[in-house]
Amino acid sequence: MSKTPKAKPKKSIATTTTHRAAKTSARKLKPRAARPKANRQSAEHKLVELKRRLFEISDLWSAGAVLSWDQTTYMPTGGAVARGRQCAMLRRLAHERLADPALGRLIDELTPFSETLPYDTDDASLIRFARRDFEKAIKISPDYVARANVHGAACYDAWTRARPANDFATMQPLLEKTLDLSREYADFFAPYDHIADPLIDDADEGMTTATIRALFSELRSELVPMVRAIADQPVIDDSCLRANFAEPAQL
C-alpha cells in the first residue's frame, strides 16, 4: 500500500513576515556593488588632484621663465651666476614633482577613466599628455636638469659679451659643453636610431631624424626648382621703392 504524503504544515502570517524581514535585513547588510556614478565621482576627485599637481609644476616652470626673461632684459650682468643657480633650483623642483611616483600612480588610476571620454576632450588629452611627460621625466636625472640649466644661464651671459666683439674663442668651450650635455640627454632615451632623435622629439613629438630627412627631401624637390626659377628672372625695376616723393604729390 502506498503511503499518503503528509501535508506540509502551513506557515503562520507571523512566521512568513519574520522570514521576509530577515531576508530584507540580510540584503541590507551585503555591500553594494560600486555604482558607475560613484566611480565617476572618485575619478573626478583624482582628476582634480592631478590638475593641482600639474599646476604646481607649471607654476615652478613659469617662475623660472620670469627669471630667465629678467636675465635677458633688465638684470645687471653681475647677477648671472646667482640667476643660473636660481633657475636651476626651480627647474629641478619642477622636474622632481613631474617624476614623482605618486603622480605616476595617479595617472595610472585615471587612465581607465580617460578611455571612457572622447579622445580629443580636454580631460582625456590632459591625462594622456601627463603620462607622456611623466614617462620622459623619470628617465632624466634631477642632477642633469640642474647642471643643464646652470650651463644655459652661463652661456647666455657669455654670449652677451662675446657677440659684440665677435669673440668665438670665448664661446667655443661653452658650445662644446652644450654638445656634451645634448649627448648626455640623448643617452637617457637610448636605444635610438639616431642620437638627435630624442632632441627632435622634444621639439616635435613623434618626429625623428628619418622623418625630418624625408620631409626635407620632399620640400627640396619642390622648392629648389622654384627658387631657381625666381632667381633666373630678369632684375625688376624697383626704383620706385627707393625714390623720394614730396608729401603733396603723395596726397
Side-chain angles (χ1 to χ4, degrees):
M1 293 176 63
S2 59
K3 295 181 179 180
T4 304
K6 295 180 180 180
K8 293 182 179 179
K10 294 182 179 180
K11 295 180 180 179
S12 66
I13 294 176
T15 303
T16 304
T17 304
T18 303
H19 180 66
R20 286 177 180 171
K23 288 177 68 177
T24 303
S25 177
R27 281 199 300 268
K28 288 182 179 179
L29 292 174
K30 290 181 181 179
R32 293 183 178 179
R35 296 180 179 179
K37 184 177 180 181
N39 288 342
R40 183 176 181 85
Q41 288 174 342
S42 174
E44 289 174 348
H45 287 314
K46 290 175 181 177
L47 185 60
V48 170
E49 173 61 13
L50 175 66
K51 291 178 179 180
R52 184 195 69 77
R53 288 174 175 267
L54 296 179
F55 270 128
E56 186 178 80
I57 294 166
S58 176
D59 288 344
L60 287 168
W61 273 95
S62 297
V66 171
L67 292 181
S68 296
W69 171 83
D70 180 66
Q71 181 180 7
T72 61
T73 52
Y74 297 109
M75 190 191 77
T77 55
V81 174
R83 182 52 47 84
R85 186 180 66 249
Q86 294 156 3
C87 289
M89 181 192 68
L90 289 172
R91 294 286 192 264
R92 180 178 185 130
L93 288 173
H95 178 80
E96 288 173 345
R97 281 161 174 73
L98 184 57
D100 186 351
L103 178 63
R105 290 192 295 270
L106 186 59
I107 295 169
D108 285 340
E109 293 167 359
L110 281 168
T111 297
F113 169 68
S114 71
E115 292 170 353
T116 67
L117 304 174
Y119 183 80
D120 58 351
T121 57
D122 290 344
D123 289 341
S125 299
L126 178 71
I127 296 167
R128 187 169 62 253
F129 283 103
R131 175 176 293 282
R132 179 203 65 183
D133 293 344
F134 170 78
E135 291 178 349
K136 275 193 171 186
I138 58 177
K139 295 180 180 180
I140 306 167
S141 74
D143 173 69
Y144 172 85
V145 173
R147 286 188 291 111
N149 278 278
V150 168
H151 175 68
C155 282
Y156 180 80
D157 179 59
W159 175 78
T160 58
R161 296 190 302 274
R163 184 184 181 187
N166 198 25
D167 180 11
F168 180 75
T170 295
M171 293 302 301
Q172 183 172 347
L174 293 168
L175 293 173
E176 289 172 351
K177 186 175 181 181
T178 298
L179 183 59
D180 291 339
L181 286 168
S182 297
R183 291 180 178 277
E184 185 180 350
Y185 179 83
D187 286 342
F188 288 122
F189 299 93
Y192 39 71
D193 293 330
H194 191 282
I195 196 169
D197 286 351
L199 302 166
I200 294 172
D201 184 75
D202 273 356
D204 200 339
E205 185 189 5
M207 298 295 283
T208 64
T209 306
T211 56
I212 290 291
R213 283 175 173 165
L215 175 62
F216 282 7
S217 177
E218 184 178 351
L219 288 172
R220 186 180 297 111
S221 67
E222 299 290 337
L223 291 177
V224 169
M226 188 184 303
V227 172
R228 284 178 178 164
I230 294 171
D232 290 341
Q233 294 296 314
V235 178
I236 63 171
D237 178 13
D238 63 350
S239 59
C240 64
L241 301 178
R242 306 174 188 279
N244 293 319
F245 300 90
E247 185 176 342
Q250 292 182 46
L251 293 174

